Amino acid sequence: MSKGTLFDKVWDLHTVGTLPSGQTQLFIGLHLIHEVTSPQAFAMLRERKIKVLYPERTVATVDHIVPTENQARPFADSLAEEMIQALEKNTEENNIRFFNTHSGNQGIVHVIAPEQGLTQPGMTIACGDSHTSTHGAFGAIAFGIGTSQVRDVLASQTLSLTKLKVRKIEVNGDLAPGVYAKDVILHIIRKLGVKGGVGYAYEYSGTTFEKMSMEERMTLCNMSIEGGARCGYVNPDDVTYNYLKDKDFAPKGEKWEEAIKWWNSLRSDEDAEYDDVVTFSASDIEPTVTWGITPGQGIGISESLPILDELSESDREIALQAFEYMQLQPGESLKGTPIDVCFVGSCTNGRISDLREAAKFAKGHKVAQNVKAFIVPGSERVKQQAEAEGLHNIFINAGFEWREPGCSMCLAMNPDKLQGSQISASSSNRNFKGRQGSAQGRTLLMSPAMVVAAAINGKVADVRDLEVN
Ligand code: SF4
């Protein structure tokens, strides 16, 4: 029923036709690829002797498998080396732009496309990675796809998709100090559930989002998928345009003026009709930390862990599993839980503003003994900028390791892995069983500032109690 929303407008403008199944054949403006989900897609094209239809609309980077300690080639891990070589070959053979390591432009796919201005309002964007929803921060319709769909986009630049419903999520008010976009999205997922967004696109509106920077909006949209929504977006505004202006791939001169007019016309209309509307108040949100095995199992830092009898039947079952796996007890405080590893990075929170905020709290403190803490910039550009600002020295002096860019311990497809049942404070986006490289590894999701607070205290702590030097 959604009518007059940005989602509706962008969807309709990219509709090539309606398929006999009733699905839409949707044109994809920008296709982002990386080393993990593209090799089989290219192999399938090769088998059928099909060429990439619009190579100029595809951009590649390498992120999941790159080591963060030493990126000299060949990589020590032969499988990782094989994967990067396959991507090098596939992009070269098909004339696809590839941001390789040491190019100055490499990084996590959802960090590099926005920072270079590839991601723009009104686009349809697809990538073989769930967190493609990040790009919705610009008012784009962006979603993750599977390997066979990567093949379809390479071959036809289109996808067959069922149109989503639109839920407006309105949050109003100012966030308290120590509360970030990460806390807002963890709060939303906690309230609406990890499956609450299935079949929906989330439109984030309200004064809280209007005041957010683009990087905060990216953190927000990034985790839409963790709430079950295929994509999430914010209507483009001056914040969007100020961020995009003069970026490498952004329109220039007269085209820039035309683009702004065009982008403004795509904003959801005042009288747009939504399939659902949900409202939250920013003042109800405090630093939020997950305690369980889904991103929906989160609590405010001053709350206690849930009591099983107080949960619904469906929540109780997954809570039981979570308590057992996480070695936590119902009703206890999460604050004070000892931490083994602290990780700041990922496509959720590995941007320059995240590192600035983390450095603000790390400055003049020391990482607690027995805690391994490391910072992984989201891209080469983020790393370069952080070093220009001296942030790396703040981290190193505090006892953090300063690494090369990549996905790192978000997914642990590289050597950065938890060991045994180690527990991590992580600025990433998924806390599933075994997500960080050990089958028994445990993950607590939180904002970068809260990760730093955990690193310094050696246990889960409230960043609002940390002295800022
Ligand atoms: S940082 Fe994590 S979620 Fe993001 S693209 Fe990499 S592995 Fe996927």
Side-chain angles (χ1 to χ4, degrees):
M1 180 267 270
S2 59
K3 249 173 110 207
T5 62
L6 176 139
F7 179 83
D8 239 21
K9 297 180 196 181
V10 174
W11 187 277
D12 291 350
L13 283 164
H14 289 81
T15 296
V16 177
T18 304
L19 299 165
S21 64
Q23 287 192 304
T24 304
Q25 186 183 12
L26 197 75
F27 187 80
I28 301 301
L30 175 65
H31 186 202
L32 301 167
I33 60 170
H34 60 78
E35 75 281 17
V36 179
T37 48
S38 69
Q40 278 169 297
F42 281 109
M44 288 189 265
L45 288 194
R46 219 169 273 134
E47 233 169 66
R48 297 187 199 185
K49 299 193 170 41
I50 297 173
K51 285 231 163 278
V52 176
L53 187 61
Y54 292 121
E56 68 279 15
R57 288 187 177 272
T58 300
V59 174
T61 188
V62 58
D63 49 12
H64 284 57
I65 52 96
V66 290
T68 60
E69 276 190 291
N70 180 358
Q71 294 189 344
R73 301 283 300 276
F75 294 151
D77 175 353
S78 58
L79 184 60
E81 179 59 31
E82 236 174 73
M83 288 171 89
I84 194 171
Q85 283 186 18
L87 188 59
E88 285 169 337
K89 179 169 177 277
N90 287 330
T91 49
E92 196 182 322
E93 277 182 11
N94 291 284
N95 212 13
I96 289 170
R97 190 189 300 272
F98 174 36
F99 297 126
N100 205 342
T101 51
H102 310 294
S103 63
N105 296 317
Q106 175 266 344
I108 306 172
V109 64
H110 312 309
V111 175
I112 62 148
E115 77 185 358
Q116 297 182 37
L118 283 160
T119 302
Q120 295 171 18
M123 279 184 164
T124 47
I125 302 176
C127 173
D129 187 280
S130 322
H131 295 88
T132 308
S133 54
T134 311
H135 307 263
F138 292 78
I141 301 305
F143 42 82
I145 54 176
T147 296
S148 57
Q149 290 175 306
V150 173
R151 171 203 62 197
D152 295 348
V153 180
L154 290 171
S156 70
Q157 206 61 39
T158 63
L159 281 172
S160 58
L161 294 165
T162 304
K163 195 171 180 185
L164 299 166
K165 294 185 280 185
V166 183
R167 172 179 291 143
K168 176 154 87 162
I169 299 184
E170 203 174 315
V171 183
N172 292 306
D174 291 331
L175 294 173
V179 181
Y180 299 90
K182 180 66 158 282
D183 303 301
V184 177
I185 189 63
L186 285 175
H187 183 82
I188 291 171
I189 298 170
R190 172 190 181 185
K191 295 294 178 191
L192 300 182
V194 288
K195 293 190 183 140
V198 173
Y200 283 96
Y202 279 173
E203 175 178 307
Y204 300 103
S205 73
T207 58
T208 310
F209 303 127
E210 282 162 21
K211 286 179 196 163
M212 279 185 182
S213 70
M214 280 314 292
E215 298 201 347
E216 289 173 300
R217 292 177 187 180
M218 284 185 242
T219 300
L220 175 81
C221 291
N222 172 277
M223 288 191 71
S224 305
I225 186 72
E226 302 308 330
R230 189 85 190 266
C231 62
Y233 66 89
V234 179
N235 281 298
D237 59 11
D238 286 346
V239 177
T240 320
Y241 309 147
N242 290 336
Y243 176 93
L244 266 175
K245 194 160 174 39
D246 299 327
K247 293 261 186 291
D248 306 54
F249 292 91
K252 305 278 176 338
E254 262 175 45
K255 287 208 169 129
W256 172 253
E257 300 306 324
E258 281 167 25
I260 289 191
K261 270 192 216 139
W262 166 240
W263 294 336
N264 277 330
S265 76
L266 298 174
R267 290 174 53 86
S268 293
D269 298 331
E270 287 287 323
D271 60 352
E273 291 171 23
Y274 295 87
D275 299 284
D276 192 26
V277 179
V278 182
T279 308
F280 297 104
S281 171
S283 58
D284 291 340
I285 306 174
E286 63 168 343
T288 301
V289 180
T290 66
W291 58 271
I293 50 174
T294 80
Q297 291 175 313
I299 52 170
I301 188 64
S302 60
E303 293 176 60
S304 302
L305 293 172
I307 306 277
L308 288 169
D309 285 351
E310 291 171 5
L311 297 174
S312 69
E313 210 171 307
S314 56
D315 284 349
R316 204 176 307 147
E317 202 177 303
I318 186 84
L320 265 170
Q321 278 185 46
F323 280 123
E324 193 185 342
Y325 183 83
M326 298 299 288
Q327 301 169 29
L328 294 168
Q329 295 300 323
E332 275 185 350
S333 172
L334 191 57
K335 206 166 146 181
T337 305
I339 293 293
D340 301 305
V341 176
C342 290
F343 166 62
V344 174
S346 86
C347 59
T348 313
N349 282 125
R351 298 185 177 80
I352 189 65
S353 56
D354 299 311
L355 302 198
R356 285 182 189 137
E357 210 54 31
K360 183 173 104 188
F361 291 102
K363 193 173 179 189
H365 290 285
K366 288 278 178 217
V367 169
Q369 266 187 345
N370 303 324
V371 170
K372 176 187 171 65
F374 61 118
I375 312 277
V376 183
S379 71
E380 291 184 330
R381 289 193 185 189
V382 170
K383 180 168 190 262
Q384 207 178 27
Q385 180 65 30
E387 290 180 350
E389 295 177 21
L391 305 185
H392 63 313
N393 287 329
I394 295 175
F395 291 126
I396 292 165
N397 291 339
F400 289 86
E401 294 176 32
W402 177 245
R403 297 290 189 86
E404 299 294 328
C407 294
S408 180
M409 202 184 267
C410 173
L411 182 67
M413 275 187 84
N414 74 344
D416 306 332
K417 299 181 196 303
L418 292 182
Q419 305 296 321
S421 61
Q422 276 186 327
I423 186 162
S424 82
S426 177
S427 73
S428 54
N429 45 52
R430 284 192 169 160
N431 53 348
F432 303 160
K433 290 179 182 176
R435 170 75 176 180
Q436 292 189 294
S438 160
Q440 296 81 37
R442 298 170 290 159
T443 303
L444 307 178
L445 302 175
M446 58 189 81
S447 71
M450 285 288 282
V451 173
V452 170
I456 287 158
N457 286 282
K459 54 193 178 190
V460 177
D462 189 336
V463 69
R464 295 171 298 186
D465 298 335
L466 196 67
E467 198 183 322
V468 176
N469 295 303

